[in-house]
Amino acid sequence: MTNPDLRTRRRRLGAFVGGLAATALAVTMALPAAAAGSTLQAAAGESGRYFGTAIAASRLSDSTYSTIANREFNMITAENEMKMDATEPSQGQFSYTQGDRIVNWARQNGKQVRGHALAWHSQQPGWMQNMSGTALRNAMLNHVTQVATYYRGKIHSWDVVNEAFADGSSGARRDSNLQRTGNDWIEAAFRAARAADPNAKLCYNDYNTDNWSHAKTQAVYNMVRDFKSRGVPIDCVGFQAHFNSGNPVPSNYHTTLSNFAALGVDVQITELDIEGSGSSQAQQYQGIVQACLAVARCTGITVWGVRDTDSWRASGTPLLFDGSGNKKAAYTSVLNALNAGGTTNPNPTPTPGPTTPPPTGGGSCTATYSEGEKWGDRFNGVVTIRANSAINSWRSTVTVRSPQKIIATWSGTPSWDSSGNVMTMVPNGSGALAAGQTVSFGFTVQHNGNWTWPSVTCSAS
Ligand code: G2I
């Protein structure tokens, strides 16, 4: 929500400056500070872009890590927790516990989520590695459908297919069990993903596709052009952007991004890291940010981890924060490049607000929504009320979107507004909670085709 607020602030500030010529100097000097984002997400938001990071669920309990992640980033990718081996460890048995830890953390902190990844030759569960032919094709499509359906409404962009092209000069598809099911496996995956989650942007994601003159870049470009010409549902191309001295940031990166964007897809930098240190690393980061900001449809940048020590290649110190959580020179160059601006993303996706607005007055409480069971026609939701300080009682609202209907509730007493979309829940009994204490109530929503999750608030007395 940084953008609209900021624009309003700037307009107001502009009017204020006009009306107060005598104090113009002081006010004008205040302006750049107001316009410059002091975090990566705020600075990227100035041009309608997001700035993201990969998150590992196991690190969320490290407060240095989660504090930086929460402050700096507004797009979250699960580093491993939503991959095929994590989400379908046994065929037909899906496991979302680790993925949900990340998605819930992101949503509770008002962040969006990139889904990574629905179909990939790597990190397949053991049962899938041994499959081939029609059985594998069907298993892959079922996986795409199930996982995208489970997360429907919560994903900004999905990496539908990851790393399907070979390295080197062949320009060929990568050989894999999925490729051997037939060349159309990629478009089949995209069609299944669109049917399962029509509102998520669907991306093809790969590495070594940064240099415009490389055969792999050309091959992916040709596939995307072909998909667009035949109406295969693709919305975006992810450039992983893992760089080191053997694979440096190419000088033609801007050409690559703008040529892909000209096909009518968004481009996103999805897994950025650059091995190195000091000003050399900082300059390369700056070049990447500038290339993205020069392309209106380059809609956001994600770095592949928070601190150097969190990286999959920690010894290369490739990230923006050192192992102690200090900002590196690379951080400052990225922030400055974002604040220097460029083109504006014409179609930014608004970042959702936190699950609960900040409490007002008196003792306060926080409401957190979590998912319960799901069926074809309905789903359960649970709201946990937490007293931030001691409270005498609480009220919580649950807003559902038409044509959804709440058809059952438990552990509270509901009442309804005239639209029927806003339920106010009050406690059965006293409602008094000590600081830090929690209590939960639940409800069943008949979704009638709308899978948007309810929003919840809490107020305390
Ligand atoms: O390899 C870097 C990235 C390239 N593009 C696709 C990404 O999904 C990929 O991410 C990395 C993760 O950063 C690693 O964390 O993917 C690796 C696996 O392909 C991840 O490594 C795995 C190890 O292989 C496992 O042994 C380990 O249990 O990380 C797991 C969790 O630490």
Side-chain angles (χ1 to χ4, degrees):
M1 302 311 275
T2 313
N3 286 341
D5 287 358
L6 239 129
R7 272 183 222 122
T8 317
R9 232 165 75 205
R10 280 167 163 176
R11 270 200 301 274
R12 284 194 199 124
L13 217 50
F16 183 57
V17 172
L20 284 177
T23 53
L25 185 61
V27 176
T28 314
M29 284 173 67
L31 253 177
S38 60
T39 63
L40 300 171
Q41 56 168 317
E46 293 282 328
S47 63
R49 293 180 171 85
Y50 65 78
F51 208 97
T53 185
I55 287 286
S58 60
R59 294 183 200 270
L60 279 173
S61 54
D62 171 344
S63 66
T64 306
Y65 178 86
S66 57
T67 300
I68 298 171
N70 197 12
R71 184 185 69 217
E72 298 289 342
F73 303 102
N74 61 353
M75 181 68 73
I76 301 299
T77 307
E79 188 173 358
N80 289 297
E81 293 78 350
M82 289 162 79
K83 292 174 179 176
M84 300 178 100
D85 57 351
T87 49
E88 196 177 356
S90 308
Q91 187 170 14
Q93 290 184 3
F94 291 84
S95 169
Y96 298 110
T97 314
Q98 296 306 315
D100 281 349
R101 283 177 68 188
I102 291 180
V103 172
N104 291 339
W105 181 85
R107 289 167 63 87
Q108 282 160 13
N109 289 294
K111 303 176 189 309
Q112 302 190 72
V113 177
R114 291 195 81 264
H116 175 78
L118 292 172
W120 189 17
H121 69 276
S122 181
Q123 283 191 277
Q124 291 182 359
W127 60 265
M128 186 181 268
Q129 292 171 23
N130 300 323
M131 286 177 95
S132 62
T134 309
L136 173 60
R137 174 66 70 94
N138 290 338
M140 180 274 288
L141 292 175
N142 184 54
H143 181 88
V144 170
T145 300
Q146 296 294 328
V147 177
T149 299
Y150 179 82
Y151 283 114
R152 170 160 45 190
K154 297 182 168 183
I155 303 295
H156 174 279
S157 300
W158 262 116
D159 290 333
V160 178
V161 170
N162 197 36
E163 302 177 0
F165 280 81
D167 294 313
S169 59
S170 71
R173 294 280 184 87
R174 174 194 297 277
D175 179 50
S176 72
N177 60 349
L178 290 168
Q179 180 61 29
R180 278 175 249 128
T181 69
N183 209 48
D184 62 343
W185 74 275
I186 299 180
E187 58 196 85
F190 274 85
R191 291 200 165 95
R194 179 69 99 223
D197 187 352
N199 293 323
K201 288 182 187 283
L202 304 183
C203 304
Y204 176 78
N205 190 53
D206 214 330
Y207 66 91
N208 281 354
T209 47
D210 312 286
N211 191 319
W212 177 243
S213 63
H214 283 180
K216 188 169 172 183
T217 311
Q218 293 295 314
V220 174
Y221 177 84
N222 288 334
M223 179 189 74
V224 176
R225 186 172 54 185
D226 170 53
F227 280 10
K228 292 300 285 184
S229 75
R230 289 191 294 112
V232 177
I234 184 168
D235 307 305
C236 38
V237 176
F239 295 82
Q240 293 186 8
H242 295 294
F243 297 108
N244 58 21
S245 54
N247 177 38
V249 176
S251 57
N252 61 17
Y253 202 39
H254 167 248
T255 305
T256 304
L257 297 180
S258 67
N259 283 347
F260 272 88
L263 292 175
V265 287
D266 287 347
V267 294
Q268 304 174 357
I269 295 173
T270 52
E271 304 181 13
L272 177 61
D273 55 16
I274 307 175
E275 290 188 342
S277 62
S279 59
S280 147
Q281 183 182 49
Q283 269 169 21
Q284 293 176 74
Y285 264 105
Q286 178 187 29
I288 295 287
V289 174
Q290 287 173 338
C292 177
L293 262 67
V295 176
R297 288 196 76 162
C298 182
T299 59
I301 299 173
T302 296
V303 290
W304 204 240
V306 178
R307 301 162 301 194
D308 284 336
T309 43
D310 304 317
S311 170
W312 66 294
R313 46 182 187 173
S315 63
T317 61
L319 294 172
L320 302 179
F321 293 87
D322 70 18
S324 307
N326 300 310
K327 296 169 180 174
K328 295 167 57 181
Y331 172 93
T332 308
S333 73
V334 167
L335 187 71
N336 290 344
L338 291 169
N339 276 323
T343 62
T344 299
N345 171 13
N347 195 17
T349 316
T351 298
T355 319
T356 305
T360 48
S364 71
C365 57
T366 310
T368 307
Y369 176 72
S370 49
E371 296 160 34
E373 292 158 281
K374 298 179 187 63
W375 297 272
D377 60 338
R378 65 198 195 284
F379 58 84
N380 283 350
V382 172
V383 176
T384 301
I385 303 295
R386 181 181 185 279
N388 301 317
S389 48
I391 59 176
N392 293 325
S393 192
W394 52 267
R395 333 166 51 81
S396 174
T397 66
V398 175
T399 304
V400 297
R401 274 77 173 181
S402 176
Q404 295 175 338
K405 287 277 169 277
I406 296 182
I407 56 171
T409 70
W410 56 95
S411 306
T413 304
S415 59
W416 307 87
D417 78 336
S418 56
S419 74
N421 292 333
V422 184
M423 173 178 78
T424 300
M425 189 67 102
V426 295
N428 291 333
S430 98
L433 294 174
Q437 211 180 345
T438 61
V439 66
S440 296
F441 66 85
F443 52 89
T444 302
V445 177
Q446 188 177 314
H447 59 71
N448 293 319
N450 183 343
W451 280 91
T452 313
W453 261 237
S455 52
V456 298
T457 70
C458 183
S459 62
S461 56

